[in-house]
Amino acid sequence: MNKEDVTYTQKSKLRVLHKYTAIVIILFSLSLFFSNYLGRITTYVNSVVAKCNNKLSDILVNWGLSINTISLQGNHFVSKEEVLEFIDKSKPILFISLLKIKRNIELSNRWIKNVDVQRILPNTIAISIEEYKPFAIWHHGNQFSVIDSTGYVIINDYYVDGLVLIFGNNALSGLDFVKAVVNSNTELSQQISSFNYMRDWNIIFNNGLEVRLSQDNPNDAWNCLNKLHGGLNIMKNNWKAIDLRTQNKIFIKKQKTYHQLQSINCDFPK
């Protein structure tokens, strides 16, 4: 290839390069132009839509479709003020998103299990809240937790008056027993202060009496305790503890030592 051919080839490459460079510059300029133009169009359209919405909102409010009443039921631990934060009463009732209100309320408080929101024309938003029902306060580790009857932790470090205490990291494995005792609605069950679970169940009563139950058959031991109470009214005796962990034997502690009680034989199985 002679010198003239080389020069021609280089010039051809430069022309192609200049051509593609020009195309890139033109395309970039066009993109900037249209992006700026489209941005202005979008801003204008949004502005028009907002004005139309505001105008329509005013019309609907003037027609009587405002939010005048918010009906709330089912809340005990959730305050009405918490719920009202999620409802913009300045909007017409037709502009309110019921699904958004429902989701916001459900996420706002751990006591809330479910929320139902209804629009009742012309002026009412009706909200029904289903809260978790507290069953007991569970102490595990260094934490006090309010739980429902399934063992679900509703909230931590919150005091609810009148709930029985359950102590023990693994105590919820025997929650069915606790529920059976609490729901038995006997004279003894109404005087329980706490359930303690280590390897066996210990029940502490309001007067300080401690009852130790067998791990293998706590329900039978509880029935035996009620039988014992029916005969001796254990809550009025000055007893410190009752041990029901041994089959067919009942030990009572009056002061410092245990004594076997011979008059009652519960005969619960191993």
Side-chain angles (χ1 to χ4, degrees):
M1 181 180 293
N2 57 34
K3 186 176 182 180
E4 292 180 356
D5 292 335
V6 172
T7 302
Y8 178 79
T9 301
Q10 291 178 344
K11 288 181 179 181
S12 298
K13 290 181 178 179
L14 285 175
R15 282 196 297 269
V16 172
L17 179 62
H18 290 161
K19 179 179 179 181
Y20 280 111
T21 301
I23 293 174
V24 170
I25 293 174
I26 292 172
L27 291 175
F28 179 72
S29 300
L30 288 174
S31 65
L32 288 178
F33 172 78
F34 282 111
S35 63
N36 182 54
Y37 184 71
L38 289 175
R40 291 182 180 180
I41 293 177
T42 302
T43 301
Y44 175 76
V45 171
N46 289 338
S47 175
V48 172
V49 171
K51 289 180 180 179
C52 292
N53 283 338
N54 292 335
K55 185 64 176 178
L56 180 58
S57 176
D58 292 339
I59 293 174
L60 292 175
V61 170
N62 290 334
W63 283 356
L65 293 174
S66 58
I67 301 175
N68 297 338
T69 303
I70 298 176
S71 170
L72 179 62
Q73 63 178 3
N75 62 309
H76 177 72
F77 296 98
V78 181
S79 68
K80 185 174 183 179
E81 289 71 23
E82 291 180 74
V83 176
L84 294 180
E85 291 181 2
F86 301 107
I87 302 176
D88 186 357
K89 296 183 68 175
S90 66
K91 292 183 178 180
I93 193 170
L94 295 179
F95 279 19
I96 295 294
S97 171
L98 302 185
L99 181 59
K100 184 178 180 179
I101 293 175
K102 170 183 168 68
R103 289 176 176 173
N104 286 338
I105 295 175
E106 286 178 341
L107 294 174
S108 68
N109 195 301
R110 289 188 59 86
W111 283 102
I112 298 176
K113 184 176 183 179
N114 187 37
V115 176
D116 179 65
V117 184
Q118 295 184 7
R119 186 182 359 245
I120 304 176
L121 297 178
N123 306 115
T124 300
I125 297 294
I127 301 174
S128 178
I129 293 178
E130 180 187 2
E131 296 181 340
Y132 287 100
K133 296 181 180 179
F135 172 72
I137 296 178
W138 175 37
H139 180 263
H140 51 112
N142 297 321
Q143 188 78 61
F144 284 91
S145 304
V146 179
I147 63 172
D148 68 3
S149 60
T150 69
Y152 172 76
V153 174
I154 302 171
I155 192 170
N156 295 318
D157 299 323
Y158 190 101
Y159 178 74
V160 179
D161 190 28
L163 297 184
V164 69
L165 293 170
I166 303 176
F167 292 88
N169 291 343
N170 299 318
L172 297 191
S173 62
L175 188 59
D176 287 341
F177 165 68
V178 176
K179 288 191 291 184
V181 171
V182 172
N183 295 332
S184 64
N185 198 29
T186 63
E187 183 178 354
L188 289 182
S189 68
Q190 296 174 4
Q191 301 183 61
I192 294 175
S193 173
S194 66
F195 292 82
N196 301 341
Y197 181 78
M198 296 298 289
R199 287 179 299 178
D200 299 299
W201 279 106
N202 291 355
I203 298 179
I204 309 299
F205 289 87
N206 294 331
N207 65 353
L209 174 64
E210 179 180 359
V211 177
R212 299 175 181 177
L213 307 180
S214 169
Q215 178 187 23
D216 296 330
N217 44 22
N219 290 289
D220 291 326
W222 170 253
N223 293 334
C224 177
L225 184 67
N226 280 278
K227 181 179 179 181
L228 180 65
H229 177 63
L232 298 176
N233 197 349
I234 63 176
M235 302 307 294
K236 290 186 177 181
N237 290 313
N238 191 27
W239 294 351
K240 302 300 180 182
I242 301 175
D243 192 334
L244 295 169
R245 292 176 295 176
T246 304
Q247 183 188 12
N248 298 330
K249 293 182 181 180
I250 300 173
F251 296 90
I252 62 171
K253 184 178 182 181
K254 294 183 178 180
Q255 294 299 329
K256 295 183 179 180
T257 59
Y258 281 91
H259 302 277
Q260 184 175 349
L261 189 66
Q262 301 291 344
S263 58
I264 297 291
N265 184 3
C266 291
D267 194 27
F268 53 85
K270 292 182 180 180

